[in-house]
Amino acid sequence: MAFSISRRGFLSVAALTAGASVVSSCASAKDSKGTEGSVTQDAGDKVDHSKVSGHIVVLSTGGTIASTADASGALVPTVSGPDLVEPLYDSFDKNKLTMEVKEIAQLDSSAMTLEDTDNIVRHVREALTREDVDGVIVTHGTDSMEESAIAVDTFIDGEKPVVLTGAMRPFDDPAPDGPANLALAVETVTNPQNKGAFIAFGGTVLPARGAYKSHTEHADGFSTNGGERPKGLDFKPMKDVRVDIIAAYPGAPGDLIEASVKTGAQGLVIEGMGAGNIGSSLADAAIKAAATIPVVLSTRVDAGPVSGVYGGAGGGATLGEKGIISSGTLRAGQSRILVAAAVATGTEAKALFDAP
Ligand code: ASP
């Protein structure tokens, strides 16, 4: 079996669907560009769909995978869950693979709220408790797939697989990518060695934690920075929790943080610069906020960890000493979900991040 260095840092589909263990595959925590510890397998280890078996629940939520163009050409989610899944039976055997489809939303994922996220998590958990269910697929828009993926990952025990998938091209596109992504999701979810939450997309399967949308158009538009999954939490709804993301930039005023806290934020994620650094005005306000609510520092940089090596008023090292939590490998979107989960469950936020 030939392996090669992956550009984007993940273990390939074929390995995950042909039997490799997933837990050890969060290989790219150090470098999502794939220069350390990441592998991609050469194409060729095809899964024989006619042999795939199991009983899975498919939860459809909308997104491009379920979208068609309206009269003006704009894409809107219109395709029902059953219509989305039915074509899978052209290649999978109905007598071996059974799918129970539930349409739980019909949304563009950029329009989702934490209430929608709660709804997804609830349905996933409900399905996983059933002995007859081997795993769950969630069809989802790509814009906020990383958020729902880490929410699911955080609130499950990780014994069975949950696979999120979607598409970059709509259902009615002459060459849609949804069907191949769905087939990949089925391959992944029916492999009992795969435990926990994943994103299956564009020929690649990524552990949910650390994954992020990295291209606005490419069919293989997800990458990962990796990360270690902590023990799952008991579910508590996040819908009434407000966690804001504040973007740092040179000269960003601390007022941004003050306004956020004043208007009700119960947690903050600061999207810092570089390895996790911010200017002094924002730093003063962040340190003040961290005395009462969890404040996490992430980065706007695509790849690499938040390392907290710089001193000075807003340097990552200084902020760490003053109680600001490093997001480790996670970017702002997933960090926000973890802070919301921490607030909702009364968990110490730091315990959900894998930074030192
Ligand atoms: N805007 C869409 C969504 O997130 C994009 C997609 O699905 O690719 O629902």
Side-chain angles (χ1 to χ4, degrees):
M1 197 185 277
F3 287 93
S4 60
I5 296 296
S6 156
R7 212 172 39 80
R8 290 177 300 141
F10 41 72
L11 193 65
S12 77
V13 175
L16 293 180
T17 57
S21 129
V22 166
V23 179
S24 62
S25 75
C26 304
S28 53
K30 297 256 159 42
D31 184 350
S32 78
K33 295 298 181 205
T35 52
E36 185 176 332
S38 62
V39 287
T40 274
Q41 190 177 336
D42 289 343
D45 282 22
K46 286 249 186 297
V47 173
D48 180 354
H49 287 179
S50 68
K51 293 205 173 98
V52 169
S53 63
H55 181 64
I56 59 178
V57 168
V58 181
L59 305 172
S60 71
T61 70
T64 297
I65 192 169
S67 289
T68 51
D70 69 10
S72 73
L75 298 179
V76 273
T78 53
V79 182
S80 74
D83 284 352
L84 204 54
V85 162
E86 187 55 33
L88 280 169
Y89 286 122
D90 292 346
S91 59
F92 291 91
D93 182 346
K94 247 184 183 151
N95 297 312
K96 295 188 181 130
L97 175 74
T98 49
M99 291 185 281
E100 214 177 298
V101 188
K102 287 186 193 164
E103 192 173 294
I104 62 168
Q106 188 67 292
L107 291 166
D108 187 294
S109 72
S110 58
M112 283 184 177
T113 63
L114 283 179
E115 191 167 4
D116 298 309
T117 314
D118 289 340
N119 186 36
I120 293 170
V121 172
R122 252 194 216 101
H123 277 90
V124 166
R125 283 172 58 95
E126 201 179 288
L128 292 179
T129 57
R130 284 173 42 193
E131 269 185 23
D132 62 322
V133 172
D134 296 307
V136 180
I137 291 176
V138 182
T139 63
H140 198 290
T142 58
D143 289 354
S144 70
M145 191 182 290
E146 63 213 59
E147 273 97 342
S148 294
I150 200 162
V152 166
D153 197 50
T154 301
F155 287 118
I156 59 173
D157 63 13
E159 288 306 309
K160 290 180 186 176
V162 179
V163 183
L164 286 87
T165 195
M168 290 291 190
R169 297 189 290 271
F171 186 82
D172 58 355
D173 189 275
D177 53 332
N181 287 344
L182 259 176
L184 175 60
V186 173
E187 291 171 15
T188 309
V189 83
T190 50
N191 181 340
Q193 292 192 46
N194 295 338
K195 296 176 192 302
F198 303 90
I199 290 179
F201 211 93
T204 301
V205 181
L206 305 173
R209 190 179 175 102
Y212 64 99
K213 184 170 177 175
S214 56
H215 201 284
T216 56
E217 291 177 340
H218 285 175
D220 60 348
F222 280 83
S223 300
T224 185
N225 279 302
E228 285 298 316
R229 178 183 189 271
K231 197 169 166 287
L233 299 177
D234 282 339
F235 174 65
K236 288 280 185 306
M238 298 181 287
K239 74 176 171 54
D240 295 325
V241 177
R242 179 172 146 198
V243 178
D244 290 348
I245 297 174
I246 307 282
Y249 50 87
D255 303 9
L256 295 170
I257 288 182
E258 281 159 21
S260 176
V261 174
K262 205 165 157 188
T263 53
Q266 295 153 277
L268 291 177
V269 175
I270 303 172
E271 192 172 55
M273 295 171 275
N277 305 301
I278 59 181
S280 58
S281 176
L282 213 54
D284 289 346
I287 291 165
K288 206 166 141 213
T292 51
I293 58 173
V295 180
V296 168
L297 179 64
S298 183
T299 176
R300 67 183 185 180
V301 179
D302 189 44
V306 171
S307 52
V309 289
Y310 291 92
T318 312
L319 298 175
E321 282 161 20
K322 305 272 186 190
I324 289 164
I325 302 161
S326 166
S327 70
T329 56
L330 301 184
R331 270 33 190 184
Q334 290 202 330
S335 298
R336 174 178 160 268
I337 296 295
L338 291 189
V339 176
V343 172
T345 57
T347 306
E348 197 200 346
K350 196 173 180 351
L352 301 183
F353 290 88
D354 50 21

PDB file of all heavy atoms in Angstrom, residues 281-311:
ATOM      1  N   SER A 281      -4.258  47.311  23.102  1.00  0.00           N
ATOM      2  CA  SER A 281      -5.597  47.764  23.528  1.00  0.00           C
ATOM      3  C   SER A 281      -6.533  46.552  23.670  1.00  0.00           C
ATOM      4  O   SER A 281      -7.235  46.395  24.677  1.00  0.00           O
ATOM      5  CB  SER A 281      -6.145  48.766  22.504  1.00  0.00           C
ATOM      6  OG  SER A 281      -7.454  49.137  22.847  1.00  0.00           O
ATOM      7  N   LEU A 282      -6.493  45.692  22.668  1.00  0.00           N
ATOM      8  CA  LEU A 282      -7.323  44.482  22.718  1.00  0.00           C
ATOM      9  C   LEU A 282      -6.869  43.591  23.876  1.00  0.00           C
ATOM     10  O   LEU A 282      -7.688  42.972  24.575  1.00  0.00           O
ATOM     11  CB  LEU A 282      -7.178  43.740  21.386  1.00  0.00           C
ATOM     12  CG  LEU A 282      -8.376  42.968  20.846  1.00  0.00           C
ATOM     13  CD1 LEU A 282      -9.612  43.842  20.754  1.00  0.00           C
ATOM     14  CD2 LEU A 282      -8.069  42.393  19.462  1.00  0.00           C
ATOM     15  N   ALA A 283      -5.559  43.533  24.075  1.00  0.00           N
ATOM     16  CA  ALA A 283      -5.010  42.685  25.139  1.00  0.00           C
ATOM     17  C   ALA A 283      -5.499  43.142  26.509  1.00  0.00           C
ATOM     18  O   ALA A 283      -5.922  42.317  27.335  1.00  0.00           O
ATOM     19  CB  ALA A 283      -3.487  42.700  25.091  1.00  0.00           C
ATOM     20  N   ASP A 284      -5.475  44.442  26.757  1.00  0.00           N
ATOM     21  CA  ASP A 284      -5.945  44.953  28.062  1.00  0.00           C
ATOM     22  C   ASP A 284      -7.389  44.525  28.312  1.00  0.00           C
ATOM     23  O   ASP A 284      -7.748  44.052  29.397  1.00  0.00           O
ATOM     24  CB  ASP A 284      -5.864  46.492  28.097  1.00  0.00           C
ATOM     25  CG  ASP A 284      -4.421  46.971  28.168  1.00  0.00           C
ATOM     26  OD1 ASP A 284      -3.536  46.133  28.451  1.00  0.00           O
ATOM     27  OD2 ASP A 284      -4.190  48.167  27.919  1.00  0.00           O
ATOM     28  N   ALA A 285      -8.225  44.703  27.288  1.00  0.00           N
ATOM     29  CA  ALA A 285      -9.645  44.363  27.442  1.00  0.00           C
ATOM     30  C   ALA A 285      -9.827  42.845  27.576  1.00  0.00           C
ATOM     31  O   ALA A 285     -10.688  42.373  28.339  1.00  0.00           O
ATOM     32  CB  ALA A 285     -10.432  44.877  26.244  1.00  0.00           C
ATOM     33  N   ALA A 286      -9.023  42.090  26.845  1.00  0.00           N
ATOM     34  CA  ALA A 286      -9.142  40.620  26.905  1.00  0.00           C
ATOM     35  C   ALA A 286      -8.772  40.106  28.290  1.00  0.00           C
ATOM     36  O   ALA A 286      -9.446  39.227  28.846  1.00  0.00           O
ATOM     37  CB  ALA A 286      -8.244  39.984  25.847  1.00  0.00           C
ATOM     38  N   ILE A 287      -7.717  40.673  28.860  1.00  0.00           N
ATOM     39  CA  ILE A 287      -7.267  40.235  30.186  1.00  0.00           C
ATOM     40  C   ILE A 287      -8.347  40.572  31.227  1.00  0.00           C
ATOM     41  O   ILE A 287      -8.665  39.773  32.101  1.00  0.00           O
ATOM     42  CB  ILE A 287      -5.908  40.882  30.533  1.00  0.00           C
ATOM     43  CG1 ILE A 287      -4.832  40.290  29.620  1.00  0.00           C
ATOM     44  CG2 ILE A 287      -5.555  40.697  32.005  1.00  0.00           C
ATOM     45  CD1 ILE A 287      -3.525  41.064  29.581  1.00  0.00           C
ATOM     46  N   LYS A 288      -8.941  41.736  31.082  1.00  0.00           N
ATOM     47  CA  LYS A 288     -10.019  42.144  32.002  1.00  0.00           C
ATOM     48  C   LYS A 288     -11.212  41.173  31.853  1.00  0.00           C
ATOM     49  O   LYS A 288     -11.763  40.700  32.853  1.00  0.00           O
ATOM     50  CB  LYS A 288     -10.456  43.574  31.643  1.00  0.00           C
ATOM     51  CG  LYS A 288     -11.042  44.321  32.796  1.00  0.00           C
ATOM     52  CD  LYS A 288     -11.122  45.807  32.455  1.00  0.00           C
ATOM     53  CE  LYS A 288     -12.427  46.354  33.025  1.00  0.00           C
ATOM     54  NZ  LYS A 288     -12.998  47.410  32.231  1.00  0.00           N
ATOM     55  N   ALA A 289     -11.572  40.866  30.624  1.00  0.00           N
ATOM     56  CA  ALA A 289     -12.718  39.969  30.394  1.00  0.00           C
ATOM     57  C   ALA A 289     -12.448  38.572  30.950  1.00  0.00           C
ATOM     58  O   ALA A 289     -13.339  37.913  31.499  1.00  0.00           O
ATOM     59  CB  ALA A 289     -13.020  39.893  28.899  1.00  0.00           C
ATOM     60  N   ALA A 290     -11.189  38.137  30.822  1.00  0.00           N
ATOM     61  CA  ALA A 290     -10.846  36.766  31.242  1.00  0.00           C
ATOM     62  C   ALA A 290     -10.989  36.572  32.757  1.00  0.00           C
ATOM     63  O   ALA A 290     -11.009  35.439  33.235  1.00  0.00           O
ATOM     64  CB  ALA A 290      -9.425  36.420  30.797  1.00  0.00           C
ATOM     65  N   ALA A 291     -11.130  37.657  33.484  1.00  0.00           N
ATOM     66  CA  ALA A 291     -11.331  37.534  34.932  1.00  0.00           C
ATOM     67  C   ALA A 291     -12.735  37.013  35.223  1.00  0.00           C
ATOM     68  O   ALA A 291     -12.995  36.464  36.303  1.00  0.00           O
ATOM     69  CB  ALA A 291     -11.108  38.884  35.603  1.00  0.00           C
ATOM     70  N   THR A 292     -13.669  37.177  34.273  1.00  0.00           N
ATOM     71  CA  THR A 292     -15.053  36.761  34.548  1.00  0.00           C
ATOM     72  C   THR A 292     -15.622  35.740  33.564  1.00  0.00           C
ATOM     73  O   THR A 292     -16.535  34.991  33.907  1.00  0.00           O
ATOM     74  CB  THR A 292     -16.001  37.993  34.550  1.00  0.00           C
ATOM     75  OG1 THR A 292     -15.775  38.730  33.352  1.00  0.00           O
ATOM     76  CG2 THR A 292     -15.740  38.884  35.756  1.00  0.00           C
ATOM     77  N   ILE A 293     -15.126  35.712  32.343  1.00  0.00           N
ATOM     78  CA  ILE A 293     -15.655  34.745  31.359  1.00  0.00           C
ATOM     79  C   ILE A 293     -14.483  34.058  30.644  1.00  0.00           C
ATOM     80  O   ILE A 293     -13.380  34.606  30.612  1.00  0.00           O
ATOM     81  CB  ILE A 293     -16.577  35.425  30.294  1.00  0.00           C
ATOM     82  CG1 ILE A 293     -15.809  36.529  29.545  1.00  0.00           C
ATOM     83  CG2 ILE A 293     -17.847  35.972  30.935  1.00  0.00           C
ATOM     84  CD1 ILE A 293     -16.586  37.114  28.381  1.00  0.00           C
ATOM     85  N   PRO A 294     -14.730  32.867  30.068  1.00  0.00           N
ATOM     86  CA  PRO A 294     -13.635  32.239  29.325  1.00  0.00           C
ATOM     87  C   PRO A 294     -13.267  33.032  28.072  1.00  0.00           C
ATOM     88  O   PRO A 294     -14.145  33.426  27.314  1.00  0.00           O
ATOM     89  CB  PRO A 294     -14.177  30.853  28.956  1.00  0.00           C
ATOM     90  CG  PRO A 294     -15.638  30.883  29.199  1.00  0.00           C
ATOM     91  CD  PRO A 294     -15.943  32.031  30.113  1.00  0.00           C
ATOM     92  N   VAL A 295     -11.977  33.257  27.901  1.00  0.00           N
ATOM     93  CA  VAL A 295     -11.478  33.961  26.708  1.00  0.00           C
ATOM     94  C   VAL A 295     -10.420  33.072  26.058  1.00  0.00           C
ATOM     95  O   VAL A 295      -9.434  32.692  26.694  1.00  0.00           O
ATOM     96  CB  VAL A 295     -10.862  35.330  27.073  1.00  0.00           C
ATOM     97  CG1 VAL A 295     -10.352  36.037  25.812  1.00  0.00           C
ATOM     98  CG2 VAL A 295     -11.883  36.211  27.795  1.00  0.00           C
ATOM     99  N   VAL A 296     -10.671  32.732  24.807  1.00  0.00           N
ATOM    100  CA  VAL A 296      -9.775  31.818  24.086  1.00  0.00           C
ATOM    101  C   VAL A 296      -9.085  32.587  22.967  1.00  0.00           C
ATOM    102  O   VAL A 296      -9.703  33.407  22.291  1.00  0.00           O
ATOM    103  CB  VAL A 296     -10.580  30.615  23.518  1.00  0.00           C
ATOM    104  CG1 VAL A 296      -9.752  29.813  22.528  1.00  0.00           C
ATOM    105  CG2 VAL A 296     -11.067  29.732  24.653  1.00  0.00           C
ATOM    106  N   LEU A 297      -7.818  32.311  22.775  1.00  0.00           N
ATOM    107  CA  LEU A 297      -7.048  32.964  21.720  1.00  0.00           C
ATOM    108  C   LEU A 297      -6.741  31.983  20.599  1.00  0.00           C
ATOM    109  O   LEU A 297      -6.114  30.950  20.821  1.00  0.00           O
ATOM    110  CB  LEU A 297      -5.737  33.501  22.306  1.00  0.00           C
ATOM    111  CG  LEU A 297      -4.787  34.192  21.326  1.00  0.00           C
ATOM    112  CD1 LEU A 297      -5.416  35.452  20.747  1.00  0.00           C
ATOM    113  CD2 LEU A 297      -3.470  34.512  22.011  1.00  0.00           C
ATOM    114  N   SER A 298      -7.237  32.301  19.391  1.00  0.00           N
ATOM    115  CA  SER A 298      -6.946  31.481  18.217  1.00  0.00           C
ATOM    116  C   SER A 298      -6.131  32.347  17.243  1.00  0.00           C
ATOM    117  O   SER A 298      -5.550  33.349  17.637  1.00  0.00           O
ATOM    118  CB  SER A 298      -8.253  30.983  17.588  1.00  0.00           C
ATOM    119  OG  SER A 298      -7.982  30.134  16.505  1.00  0.00           O
ATOM    120  N   THR A 299      -6.108  31.954  16.016  1.00  0.00           N
ATOM    121  CA  THR A 299      -5.346  32.740  15.031  1.00  0.00           C
ATOM    122  C   THR A 299      -6.074  32.796  13.699  1.00  0.00           C
ATOM    123  O   THR A 299      -6.830  31.885  13.357  1.00  0.00           O
ATOM    124  CB  THR A 299      -3.935  32.157  14.807  1.00  0.00           C
ATOM    125  OG1 THR A 299      -3.280  32.916  13.778  1.00  0.00           O
ATOM    126  CG2 THR A 299      -3.970  30.688  14.384  1.00  0.00           C
ATOM    127  N   ARG A 300      -5.796  33.863  12.968  1.00  0.00           N
ATOM    128  CA  ARG A 300      -6.377  33.981  11.618  1.00  0.00           C
ATOM    129  C   ARG A 300      -5.527  33.242  10.588  1.00  0.00           C
ATOM    130  O   ARG A 300      -5.890  33.156   9.420  1.00  0.00           O
ATOM    131  CB  ARG A 300      -6.507  35.454  11.240  1.00  0.00           C
ATOM    132  CG  ARG A 300      -5.181  36.173  11.063  1.00  0.00           C
ATOM    133  CD  ARG A 300      -5.391  37.651  10.772  1.00  0.00           C
ATOM    134  NE  ARG A 300      -4.128  38.329  10.476  1.00  0.00           N
ATOM    135  CZ  ARG A 300      -4.030  39.612  10.181  1.00  0.00           C
ATOM    136  NH1 ARG A 300      -5.118  40.359  10.140  1.00  0.00           N
ATOM    137  NH2 ARG A 300      -2.859  40.167   9.911  1.00  0.00           N
ATOM    138  N   VAL A 301      -4.384  32.726  11.001  1.00  0.00           N
ATOM    139  CA  VAL A 301      -3.501  32.017  10.068  1.00  0.00           C
ATOM    140  C   VAL A 301      -4.067  30.622   9.801  1.00  0.00           C
ATOM    141  O   VAL A 301      -4.540  29.948  10.703  1.00  0.00           O
ATOM    142  CB  VAL A 301      -2.068  31.921  10.635  1.00  0.00           C
ATOM    143  CG1 VAL A 301      -1.149  31.172   9.679  1.00  0.00           C
ATOM    144  CG2 VAL A 301      -1.528  33.316  10.912  1.00  0.00           C
ATOM    145  N   ASP A 302      -3.986  30.219   8.556  1.00  0.00           N
ATOM    146  CA  ASP A 302      -4.573  28.962   8.098  1.00  0.00           C
ATOM    147  C   ASP A 302      -4.044  27.719   8.826  1.00  0.00           C
ATOM    148  O   ASP A 302      -4.813  26.883   9.282  1.00  0.00           O
ATOM    149  CB  ASP A 302      -4.230  28.871   6.599  1.00  0.00           C
ATOM    150  CG  ASP A 302      -4.923  27.751   5.887  1.00  0.00           C
ATOM    151  OD1 ASP A 302      -6.125  27.585   6.128  1.00  0.00           O
ATOM    152  OD2 ASP A 302      -4.269  27.064   5.081  1.00  0.00           O
ATOM    153  N   ALA A 303      -2.742  27.631   8.961  1.00  0.00           N
ATOM    154  CA  ALA A 303      -2.165  26.372   9.457  1.00  0.00           C
ATOM    155  C   ALA A 303      -1.205  26.606  10.609  1.00  0.00           C
ATOM    156  O   ALA A 303      -0.610  27.679  10.735  1.00  0.00           O
ATOM    157  CB  ALA A 303      -1.429  25.670   8.318  1.00  0.00           C
ATOM    158  N   GLY A 304      -1.049  25.578  11.424  1.00  0.00           N
ATOM    159  CA  GLY A 304      -0.101  25.645  12.538  1.00  0.00           C
ATOM    160  C   GLY A 304      -0.800  25.937  13.852  1.00  0.00           C
ATOM    161  O   GLY A 304      -1.927  26.419  13.883  1.00  0.00           O
ATOM    162  N   PRO A 305      -0.130  25.624  14.974  1.00  0.00           N
ATOM    163  CA  PRO A 305      -0.748  25.821  16.287  1.00  0.00           C
ATOM    164  C   PRO A 305      -0.619  27.255  16.804  1.00  0.00           C
ATOM    165  O   PRO A 305       0.211  28.015  16.329  1.00  0.00           O
ATOM    166  CB  PRO A 305       0.064  24.874  17.180  1.00  0.00           C
ATOM    167  CG  PRO A 305       1.419  24.841  16.541  1.00  0.00           C
ATOM    168  CD  PRO A 305       1.209  25.009  15.051  1.00  0.00           C
ATOM    169  N   VAL A 306      -1.439  27.551  17.792  1.00  0.00           N
ATOM    170  CA  VAL A 306      -1.301  28.804  18.544  1.00  0.00           C
ATOM    171  C   VAL A 306      -0.312  28.491  19.657  1.00  0.00           C
ATOM    172  O   VAL A 306      -0.572  27.649  20.510  1.00  0.00           O
ATOM    173  CB  VAL A 306      -2.669  29.226  19.121  1.00  0.00           C
ATOM    174  CG1 VAL A 306      -2.537  30.399  20.079  1.00  0.00           C
ATOM    175  CG2 VAL A 306      -3.623  29.583  17.985  1.00  0.00           C
ATOM    176  N   SER A 307       0.846  29.143  19.602  1.00  0.00           N
ATOM    177  CA  SER A 307       1.898  28.638  20.488  1.00  0.00           C
ATOM    178  C   SER A 307       2.278  29.540  21.661  1.00  0.00           C
ATOM    179  O   SER A 307       2.946  29.108  22.585  1.00  0.00           O
ATOM    180  CB  SER A 307       3.144  28.316  19.668  1.00  0.00           C
ATOM    181  OG  SER A 307       3.485  29.419  18.882  1.00  0.00           O
ATOM    182  N   GLY A 308       1.852  30.788  21.659  1.00  0.00           N
ATOM    183  CA  GLY A 308       2.106  31.649  22.814  1.00  0.00           C
ATOM    184  C   GLY A 308       3.574  31.821  23.151  1.00  0.00           C
ATOM    185  O   GLY A 308       3.989  31.586  24.277  1.00  0.00           O
ATOM    186  N   VAL A 309       4.358  32.221  22.163  1.00  0.00           N
ATOM    187  CA  VAL A 309       5.795  32.347  22.417  1.00  0.00           C
ATOM    188  C   VAL A 309       6.261  33.793  22.594  1.00  0.00           C
ATOM    189  O   VAL A 309       7.372  34.034  23.046  1.00  0.00           O
ATOM    190  CB  VAL A 309       6.635  31.668  21.298  1.00  0.00           C
ATOM    191  CG1 VAL A 309       6.522  30.166  21.385  1.00  0.00           C
ATOM    192  CG2 VAL A 309       6.207  32.157  19.925  1.00  0.00           C
ATOM    193  N   TYR A 310       5.402  34.743  22.257  1.00  0.00           N
ATOM    194  CA  TYR A 310       5.860  36.137  22.295  1.00  0.00           C
ATOM    195  C   TYR A 310       5.456  36.858  23.580  1.00  0.00           C
ATOM    196  O   TYR A 310       4.354  36.659  24.098  1.00  0.00           O
ATOM    197  CB  TYR A 310       5.312  36.915  21.089  1.00  0.00           C
ATOM    198  CG  TYR A 310       5.948  36.442  19.805  1.00  0.00           C
ATOM    199  CD1 TYR A 310       5.367  35.431  19.051  1.00  0.00           C
ATOM    200  CD2 TYR A 310       7.166  36.972  19.381  1.00  0.00           C
ATOM    201  CE1 TYR A 310       5.966  34.961  17.891  1.00  0.00           C
ATOM    202  CE2 TYR A 310       7.773  36.513  18.226  1.00  0.00           C
ATOM    203  CZ  TYR A 310       7.173  35.508  17.480  1.00  0.00           C
ATOM    204  OH  TYR A 310       7.778  35.046  16.347  1.00  0.00           O
ATOM    205  N   GLY A 311       6.374  37.719  24.044  1.00  0.00           N
ATOM    206  CA  GLY A 311       6.079  38.546  25.216  1.00  0.00           C
ATOM    207  C   GLY A 311       5.453  39.863  24.759  1.00  0.00           C
ATOM    208  O   GLY A 311       4.883  39.933  23.671  1.00  0.00           O
TER     209      GLY A 311
END
